[in-house]
């Protein structure tokens, strides 16, 4: 089992970040998403929006890893549940793979909250648990996947910069 | 850095090829409601219910055809006051 976690601060208020997060695929674990569908959506009795989504992804695992796993399939499916609390200003996403489950389990959790000291900024905490099952090279593969996730997360967070305006508090920015 | 990492969910395809147009129409409606109503504390009048029903029927069919292992969802679509499950 391998655990990976990270924290990132956006130079924008929570509402701005959440609007961008809902419009783009918010999972830095795997930027190679090829399809996104909403399976269910509802508002609960506490006014929080629940969304269940199905994500189709190309894992982009190195060929060696796919050979070891013994699969030529590269398209995998992930199920995601998100909860947006507009009053408490918290967005939480949990996701897990629902295919290749005989070989690997990747679960992750992302939480977006206002920065405790600055409402003009937003904190994203991410954590992922990766377990490769039933093969002797499990630890190596877990390490490889964790490094891939970390590297992908950095790339996606850099790409986020194109979605949010410059964090210049002297200028007004209209919402999208 | 790849352009894929900045792609939008609403510009992406559906798991069912025939559902993509319905998906994008629904996504645009939802994104507008989410930003202009929901995040501002206004939960009244969800305008996307009909769009979501049509889109969902298409996706449900595609999921069955592709035998994607989805469990535990009743495909209730949009709803309010759904019983809260443990989280």
């Amino acid at each position: 089992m391998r655990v990976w976690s990270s924290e990132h601060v956006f130079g924008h208020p929570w509402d701005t970040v959440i609007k961008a997060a809902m419009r783009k695929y918010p999972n830095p674990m795997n930027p190679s998403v090829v399809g996104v569908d909403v399976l269910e959506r509802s508002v609960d009795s506490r006014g929080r929006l629940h969304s269940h989504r199905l994500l189709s992804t190309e894992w982009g695992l190195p060929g060696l890893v796919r050979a070891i796993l013994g699969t030529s399939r590269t398209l995998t499916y992930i199920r995601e549940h998100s909860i947006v609390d507009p009053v408490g200003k918290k967005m939480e996403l949990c996701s897990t793979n629902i295919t290749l489950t005989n070989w690997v389990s990747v679960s992750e959790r992302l939480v977006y909250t206002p920065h405790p000291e600055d409402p003009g900024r937003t904190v994203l905490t991410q954590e992922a648990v990766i377990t490769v099952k039933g093969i002797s090279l499990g630890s190596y593969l877990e390490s490889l996947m964790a490094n891939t996730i970390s590297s992908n997360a950095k790339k996606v967070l850099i790409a986020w910069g194109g979605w949010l305006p410059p964090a210049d508090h002297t200028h007004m920015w209209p919402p999208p | 850095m790849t352009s894929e990492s900045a792609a939008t969910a609403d510009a992406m395809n559906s798991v069912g090829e025939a559902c993509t147009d319905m998906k994008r129409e629904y996504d645009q409606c939802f994104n507008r409601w989410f930003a202009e109503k929901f995040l501002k504390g206004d939960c009244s009048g969800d305008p996307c219910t009909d769009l979501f029903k049509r889109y969902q029927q298409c996706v449900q069919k595609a999921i069955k055809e592709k035998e994607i292992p989805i469990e535990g969802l009743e495909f209730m679509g949009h709803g309010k006051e759904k019983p809260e499950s443990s989280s």
Side-chain angles (χ1 to χ4, degrees):
Chain A
M1 189 175 83
R2 174 82 47 165
V3 179
W4 169 85
S5 64
S6 165
E7 188 175 280
H8 179 80
V9 178
F10 294 93
H12 298 276
W14 184 84
D15 279 42
T16 303
V17 173
I18 294 312
K19 278 187 272 196
M22 288 301 280
R23 292 199 58 213
K24 73 183 292 293
Y25 179 56
N27 186 344
M29 262 181 47
N30 187 347
S32 302
V33 174
V34 298
V36 180
D37 279 299
V38 179
L39 301 174
E40 187 180 341
R41 197 163 249 157
S42 59
V43 178
D44 68 17
S45 56
R46 289 163 57 179
R48 305 179 305 173
L49 179 72
H50 292 253
S51 304
H52 290 267
R53 302 201 303 177
L54 173 68
L55 310 164
S56 315
T57 78
E58 289 284 348
W59 259 105
L61 290 171
L64 172 63
V65 175
R66 294 205 298 271
I68 291 170
L69 290 177
T71 176
S72 59
R73 289 182 57 189
T74 55
L75 187 66
T76 58
Y77 295 103
I78 290 171
R79 180 173 162 172
E80 174 201 272
H81 175 206
S82 64
I83 306 172
V84 181
D85 180 351
V87 174
K89 292 199 187 301
K90 181 178 175 187
M91 176 170 179
E92 183 176 343
L93 297 96
C94 294
S95 67
T96 186
N97 59 303
I98 56 172
T99 54
L100 293 184
T101 49
N102 286 339
W103 300 107
V104 66
S105 165
V106 184
S107 299
E108 60 139 10
R109 185 167 174 261
L110 285 75
V111 181
Y112 295 86
T113 48
H115 194 284
E117 289 154 16
D118 180 2
R121 293 190 289 166
T122 301
V123 178
L124 165 62
T125 54
Q126 317 168 35
E127 53 186 31
V129 179
I130 305 145
T131 306
V132 178
K133 303 172 185 178
I135 49 179
S136 58
L137 289 176
S139 290
Y140 167 73
L141 289 176
E142 286 173 2
S143 172
L144 190 64
M145 289 175 73
N147 288 338
T148 302
I149 287 164
S150 177
S151 149
N152 285 345
K154 290 192 177 83
K155 285 180 196 167
V156 173
L157 287 170
I158 289 168
W160 264 83
W163 271 86
L164 294 166
D168 181 350
H169 297 288
T170 64
H171 293 286
M172 296 296 292
W173 178 67
Chain B
M1 186 170 72
T2 63
S3 58
E4 284 81 10
S5 57
T8 56
D10 52 332
M12 283 186 189
N13 294 328
S14 169
V15 68
E17 292 79 12
C19 313
T20 295
D21 286 344
M22 281 183 248
K23 168 195 137 58
R24 290 185 186 165
E25 205 178 341
Y26 163 72
D27 281 343
Q28 280 171 15
C29 179
F30 168 76
N31 288 333
R32 210 160 34 236
W33 171 82
F34 183 74
E36 295 171 13
K37 300 277 186 188
F38 181 75
L39 282 185
K40 296 183 180 174
D42 181 358
C43 281
S44 64
D46 180 355
C48 311
T49 309
D50 290 342
L51 283 173
F52 187 67
K53 275 184 190 150
R54 269 197 321 139
Y55 161 49
Q56 193 190 53
Q57 279 166 6
C58 183
V59 167
Q60 194 175 352
K61 186 163 169 269
I63 284 169
K64 281 185 182 146
E65 282 168 4
K66 296 188 182 211
E67 297 181 344
I68 299 171
I70 304 282
E71 294 171 14
L73 286 179
E74 295 175 5
F75 291 98
M76 291 171 66
H78 270 269
K80 303 235 172 136
E81 303 300 328
K82 175 180 167 173
E84 192 175 319
S85 54
S86 59
S87 58

